[in-house]
Amino acid sequence: MTDYERRPGGSRGGYHNNRKRRFREDDDYDRRQQRRRYEEPLPVRIRKQLLAIAESPLKSKDEEITLISQTIVENCEDEQIRALHLDLTIQLVTEQPLKIPFLAGLVLALNQHKAEIAQDVLRRAASELQKHLGAGAWREVKLMLRFVACMHPLLEGDGIFLIFEELFARAVDLQTASSEDSLGLELVKIILLTLPYVMAMNPEASKEQASAILDKTDIIALTPHPLYALVDPYPGKTNGEGKEAQSYIGLLQRQLQSEAEQGWPLTCVPRPWNPMDGFNAADSSPRHVLASIVVPSPVPTGSRPRLPEVYFSVYADQEMETVPPPTSIASSLVRDSLIDTINLIDYNRNATAKFLIDLDCYFAEDTFVKRATQFDKLRNVEEGKSTWKPEDVIVDAVFSQLLQLPAPEHKLVYYHAVLTEAYAGLSASHPRKAFIIGALEKEIRLSFAARIRGTLPEPYRPLISEAKEDDTPPFKYSSDQTPYAEPARQLLQLLKTKASDEQLQSCLDSIHDTASSLGVVDPLVPVTDAYVTAICYLGSKSLSHVLSQIERCRERLLRIGSQSEVSRRQIISSVMEYWNEKPGVGVNVVDKLLNYTILTPASVIQWALGDHLGKGQILTQAHVYEVIASTITKVTGRIHQIVVARNSPKLSADERAVFDITLNGERENLEKLFNLIEDALVGIAEGSNDVMAEGADQDTEEEARLREWGQRWLRVIRRKRGVEEAWIMEMLQPTENMMEDVIGDGANGSASDGSFVRNGAPLGADNDPADEIL
């Protein structure tokens, strides 16, 4: 307060004048203090860059490696930075195996500018490798060997091939001691899985050594193992049934022999080190001696019992190849990295799922098609290009572990959870999630929501809400907050007590008058809603109960429906809203209302594809397709009955003429129905729907997916239409005399001229109308 009183000017007014002048000056000179920009400490930034290496599909891997290497080289005098890079690199090798080629690429880049950093990494890698060999940690041995293999151009002399010789010698000892040994197979498998990473760098420099290794491993890899029967996923082949199981190590041996014959193309292996600063295997970059590695004898078995492995694929023998075939080395290399990722990061299924989803980031460009490519679009892929879907490769790898014999490495629920994290987090419009939700709804119809919910893995359970477990959905008018709550509750009591029509009408009139006074455009809508909701609530115990209520109220429902098309659609809305959590019941009720002619087929289509179409989200809901397909089937079923009756040889010409008039009317109705459906679907399929066209985000991935839903629906509906039109034309084709001949010839199924018939038409007829339409 004292400071305020001592301001220049001595008066309150003077202070305010000075303040105004200061604000005017601020207009010309921005005197506001700028917020200090926060910069992360360098070690934190480098750590983040190393942890995120190769994860982004939008970044060039070569540029990313170059940037990190420059930062480390510029700060190489900082011991903290060097220690951070060394420790984190070695840690990532055995925790995130998909990144090994990129971590090695970073070391190759560092070697060009600061060879001592690369030497430190090689020294630590050799030390870790020796430690894992001593402990019998064979997965870690394999991964550390892979890391060294990717840095093979830095090594003097034979480098990693000396370790291969040691491992193979121990494998021979083990196989010689026992024909049922499986650890020797594991050692040979490690050699074969490491060799491609050596050869991907510079095949010419190591071609002879690689050939010598393959000649040695051939006898062990291709010899049938006596314990294969224990892990055979295809029992019964001795009786001529089932498939022949393939030895994983034998398959790997043949794949590498094929690669050797072709000059080691290894097209799936990433090579982030080749384009950087002109680096190649023959340059003058410093070379280093790999520390001597000793494979213990006897060889430690490790913590897990081992059996021979077989190659298993749930996507084998597809018409279109969506996963690498067993003849390709990619099938082994990609799966091996995926399986290690899944089994190593078992403590964090979210992280595991993230690595799986980003699979295409960790292999050579064009190894896979673009993510989420539809199966039918694979036919449009240019010949010679890959049609492998990363999603299918992921699922294939997970199922190879789920169905591994004699037992998976982890509990089954872990593999379920990994798949869930990779796909159940999708939007509701994604076909996979829509399929899952639709399947669960059908299971609930056959059982109880609580029981089905209890069988699901924890991440799936939110797909079945607790509200689905309620036997009786609530009566929405029980709340005073709902409009027309009081008269709607009175209406419910009147229906319970089977009150007279006069009493019911008085209550309905009350709702109508209230709605009119509130300015509702069509007061019949709230009247219909209250009446139908009360019927649904009273019949909610079972389908027979609701049918009984509908039967009792049929006449009034017919009168309500006949007053306007809007009121008919409101009947459907009220039914489906009441059974919102159990849409299967709602579909059954709508089907029965069609049988009672309370609803018309057109009203069902307009309700689904008119009132609730929006941008097409409703097309993702299985029960919506179910109700539309059922409606079409009812209409076409009636036409089938008329056609069969019309073709009866006992009819007179006049009677047949009456049937023809009825048939023409029904065919016109069917035509209008199909046109109504197609008009709605075309807008979604083409993206020209009014709601889509008006949206600002109409080019988003979500809307592209909704357009695909529209295209699928359109394809299905047009197929139904074509089939129905072809059937009708075919059935109407035979003349009256031909029909009499066919029927008269009896059960032998032939016409009078001896030709066989199909649905009353001779096979092989030149003027088959089905051919003209289809």
Side-chain angles (χ1 to χ4, degrees), residues 101-102 196-197 200 259 264-272 324 328-335 337 359-368 386 388:
F102 305 95
Y197 293 93
E259 288 289 318
W264 297 98
L266 296 165
T267 54
C268 72
V269 179
R271 297 169 173 85
S328 170
I329 187 63
S331 66
S332 296
L333 297 185
V334 175
R335 177 177 288 187
S337 293
L359 169 66
D360 51 350
C361 294
Y362 303 110
F363 289 90
E365 191 175 356
D366 298 329
T367 299
F368 306 101
S386 170
W388 303 339

Side-chain angles (χ1 to χ4, degrees), residues 69 81 167 178 650 740:
S69 66
I81 299 296
L167 288 171
S178 172
K650 298 179 180 179
E740 290 176 356

Side-chain angles (χ1 to χ4, degrees), residues 515-564:
S516 298
S517 66
L518 295 175
V520 176
V521 176
D522 190 346
L524 191 58
V525 169
V527 171
T528 304
D529 184 43
Y531 188 61
V532 174
T533 302
I535 291 174
C536 292
Y537 180 73
L538 291 174
S540 59
K541 288 184 179 180
S542 67
L543 186 61
S544 60
H545 279 77
V546 75
L547 291 180
S548 175
Q549 290 295 329
I550 291 173
E551 181 68 32
R552 189 158 62 88
C553 302
R554 179 183 178 185
E555 294 302 321
R556 186 175 296 276
L557 287 170
L558 284 169
R559 290 199 300 271
I560 290 175
S562 65
Q563 294 184 49
S564 72

Side-chain angles (χ1 to χ4, degrees), residues 429-502:
S429 66
H430 199 288
R432 291 190 183 94
K433 187 165 185 178
F435 172 79
I436 291 172
I437 292 174
L440 291 176
E441 286 182 355
K442 288 180 171 60
E443 286 190 47
I444 290 171
R445 292 187 206 180
L446 299 173
S447 182
F448 302 98
R451 182 175 298 172
I452 300 301
R453 196 167 188 264
T455 65
L456 298 177
E458 185 62 37
Y460 276 104
R461 291 181 183 177
L463 296 179
I464 299 180
S465 64
E466 293 183 3
K468 290 182 181 292
E469 299 180 13
D470 296 337
D471 293 333
T472 301
F475 185 58
K476 69 179 183 180
Y477 293 101
S478 297
S479 171
D480 291 332
Q481 304 302 315
T482 307
Y484 320 106
E486 183 59 32
R489 289 197 290 262
Q490 294 176 6
L491 180 64
L492 178 64
Q493 291 302 318
L494 291 173
L495 286 171
K496 278 184 178 179
T497 58
K498 300 181 181 179
S500 64
D501 282 346
E502 291 78 11

Side-chain angles (χ1 to χ4, degrees), residues 228-229 231-245 405:
Y228 272 127
V231 293
D232 186 355
Y234 302 113
K237 60 180 180 293
T238 54
N239 298 327
E241 300 177 354
K243 300 181 180 180
E244 184 70 28
L405 296 175

